[in-house]
Amino acid sequence: MVSSWKDAVSSGVFKDQLSKHIELPQYGCFKDVRSRKIKDEKFTINQIWGIGGRNGWYSFNGLWKIRGYVDKLFGGVGLRRGRTHDTYLEPGDPLDFWRVLLADKKEKRLLLFAEMKLPGEAWLEFKIVKDRLYQRAVFRPKGVLGRLYWYMVLPFHAFVFKGMINALVEPK
């Protein structure tokens, strides 16, 4: 079997749960945190692991596409990368303009890092604890432009992220 840089974690120090070592930043960040009670855990996990690529982001896909075009306009990757597999994710995988940092179905946690052009750094996390799904968007701005960016996109978060979490917990 051919090895790649994505294999490095499995051969390294983290023999226990990798998720214990990967935490979102807490300080100097803006956050959009939502949670919903789960009706069908298997459905929700499958929705989370199927997000992006051809499946889209389950809510306001047109706005996600616009964000991808804006990213390309500024020299980013846009949405052209898609995903390697429609229902399987592993750390290191590209997922549209995100990178999978952690994908652990047993722990019910998916953590993405934005590789789009931003005036800061962004993470998107999906985590199931007991019978609740927690969806967290975290943005660490760089300077005034980063703060302006957050407040510019904040109105869109109100309906995009609400629609996304609803689609993750409610079968249609």
Side-chain angles (χ1 to χ4, degrees):
M1 173 185 237
V2 177
S3 183
S4 82
W5 65 270
K6 294 191 298 186
D7 300 330
V9 171
S10 64
S11 63
V13 181
F14 301 114
K15 296 292 181 195
D16 59 344
Q17 296 171 324
L18 182 60
S19 68
K20 289 180 179 177
H21 305 281
I22 299 178
E23 293 300 324
L24 291 172
Q26 297 297 313
Y27 303 104
C29 298
F30 294 112
K31 300 172 188 164
D32 183 308
V33 180
R34 297 168 190 275
S35 75
R36 289 283 313 270
K37 185 171 175 51
I38 294 173
K39 297 173 183 173
D40 178 350
E41 186 175 285
K42 185 177 180 183
F43 170 82
T44 297
I45 295 238
N46 288 337
Q47 285 288 92
I48 292 169
W49 257 254
I51 205 163
R54 285 188 290 199
N55 297 327
W57 292 83
Y58 305 132
S59 174
F60 297 95
N61 280 317
L63 290 176
W64 286 101
K65 286 179 183 176
I66 290 170
R67 182 60 185 98
Y69 294 133
V70 169
D71 188 52
K72 280 180 90 165
L73 183 69
F74 285 95
V77 296
L79 294 174
R80 73 177 178 264
R81 295 187 312 179
R83 52 181 294 157
T84 4
H85 190 276
D86 286 339
T87 58
Y88 179 78
L89 292 171
E90 66 178 40
D93 281 352
L95 181 55
D96 296 332
F97 42 62
W98 299 91
R99 177 72 55 184
V100 177
L101 294 181
L102 179 74
D104 191 327
K105 273 191 175 180
K106 196 185 304 182
E107 290 190 35
K108 306 169 198 165
R109 184 176 176 211
L110 176 64
L111 179 60
L112 308 174
F113 179 74
E115 292 187 324
M116 62 189 105
K117 295 291 184 180
L118 292 168
E121 299 171 304
W123 295 262
L124 184 58
E125 179 186 50
F126 304 95
K127 186 176 184 178
I128 296 174
V129 178
K130 296 186 181 177
D131 63 345
R132 294 197 74 78
L133 170 63
Y134 293 88
Q135 174 184 282
R136 294 192 301 170
V138 176
F139 180 68
R140 183 167 38 202
K142 288 185 181 170
V144 174
L145 281 179
R147 286 166 175 71
L148 287 173
Y149 171 82
W150 175 261
Y151 288 113
M152 269 181 17
V153 299
L154 191 58
F156 298 104
H157 285 188
F159 50 90
V160 171
F161 286 142
K162 178 181 179 186
M164 188 165 55
I165 197 168
N166 287 342
L168 292 172
V169 299
E170 295 175 1
K172 290 185 178 181

